[in-house]
Amino acid sequence: MIKIAPSVLSADFSNLAEALRPVASADYLHVDIMDGLFVPNISLGFPVLAGIRKATSLPLDVHLMVDRPVRYVERFCDAGAAIVTVHVEADTPENTHTALDKIHAKGKRAGVVVKPKTPAEAVLPFLDKCDIVLVMTVEPGFGGQKFMADMMPKVSQIRRWIDERKPGCELEVDGGVAPGTCRTCIDAGANVLVAGSAVFGAEDIPGRIAALRGGV
Ligand code: DX5
Ligand code: ZN
């Protein structure tokens, strides 16, 4: 089953509760946290996440684009995350393991993220601890960028490793996922599709969610 995770970054923050109503048929709500250091942009923090938590009943999939996220993962769990993912590029392997352990100790789901230039192999040391692996299909930092189709071999490779070593782990793609690009992600083995502009910019949001889930 393909899951759709609308990215709240593309939602209208002037009335979030209203903006989130049409995405109720999605599977997760993807929340991008940017610290202005790990990526050249700043998005939102704990109070807004707690507000989002109240505005939707969707599980919150919190993508931390934050330097040394081990410092903050527990607070994101407490603020309402169901899933917390951390970038492998954001800290030492030891601290990334600690971050995953801390998320699990809070009873939440944990995973790692790889940027476009990071090879598939970078997820392997963490795969045993991952409930989800996220492959970026744009450079992290901004919504509305062009999908990088050349990430698909990486998605396929990680899908093979998941099937061999960690069945049940989800495989998510993020960036530029839209009607013209969702099918290739599904075919490469992704089962969770993040989509920001393609969902919140759609005329018929529930219809777009259903279409993306079907690969169209
Ligand atoms: C980019 C973020 C994405 C972004 C996706 O750094 O991680 O989640 O919101 O937006 P679209 O789907 O518009 O590329
Ligand atoms: Zn994201």
Side-chain angles (χ1 to χ4, degrees):
M1 198 335 227
I2 302 301
K3 297 181 180 177
I4 304 299
S7 173
V8 76
L9 203 59
S10 296
D12 177 1
F13 277 81
S14 70
N15 192 346
L16 257 185
E18 191 62 38
L20 295 181
R21 212 159 285 142
V23 303
S25 59
D27 300 278
Y28 304 133
L29 185 72
H30 185 83
V31 184
D32 290 305
I33 309 290
M34 304 178 182
D35 69 349
L37 287 171
F38 183 72
V39 289
N41 199 4
I42 296 176
S43 58
L44 55 95
F46 303 114
V48 179
L49 183 65
I52 293 170
R53 171 67 294 154
K54 287 187 196 156
T56 178
S57 52
L58 290 174
L60 303 184
D61 166 32
V62 176
H63 173 195
L64 296 184
M65 285 160 276
V66 169
D67 191 46
R68 289 179 292 142
V70 66
R71 298 174 293 163
Y72 296 112
V73 288
E74 288 160 312
R75 288 186 64 192
F76 283 108
C77 292
D78 292 341
I83 301 168
V84 179
T85 57
V86 296
H87 272 267
V88 298
E89 306 90 355
D91 209 335
T92 61
E94 189 189 17
N95 282 346
T96 300
H97 276 290
T98 304
L100 297 171
D101 290 341
K102 284 183 168 188
I103 298 161
H104 282 143
K106 285 282 184 183
K108 310 297 181 181
R109 301 170 66 199
V112 293
V113 193
V114 282
K115 296 207 279 187
K117 291 192 186 76
T118 303
E121 287 73 17
V123 306
L124 282 176
F126 310 106
L127 194 53
D128 274 353
K129 281 185 186 165
C130 285
D131 305 297
I132 189 163
V133 172
L134 170 51
V135 175
M136 292 307 300
T137 43
V138 296
E139 282 299 335
F142 301 90
Q145 301 183 78
K146 189 174 178 289
F147 178 76
M148 298 169 76
D150 53 339
M151 293 300 115
M152 293 304 100
K154 190 197 287 188
V155 174
S156 304
Q157 176 62 73
I158 296 173
R159 166 52 64 196
R160 285 194 288 277
W161 288 330
I162 286 175
D163 289 348
E164 284 164 22
R165 304 174 192 198
K166 194 79 195 327
C169 178
E170 301 205 281
L171 181 52
E172 181 175 38
V173 288
D174 181 10
V177 178
T181 58
C182 57
R183 172 49 57 190
T184 181
C185 298
I186 295 168
D187 290 347
N191 78 297
V192 183
L193 309 182
V194 176
S197 39
V199 166
F200 286 101
E203 206 51 33
D204 170 11
I205 291 178
R208 176 59 54 81
I209 291 170
L212 292 172
R213 203 181 264 128
V216 289

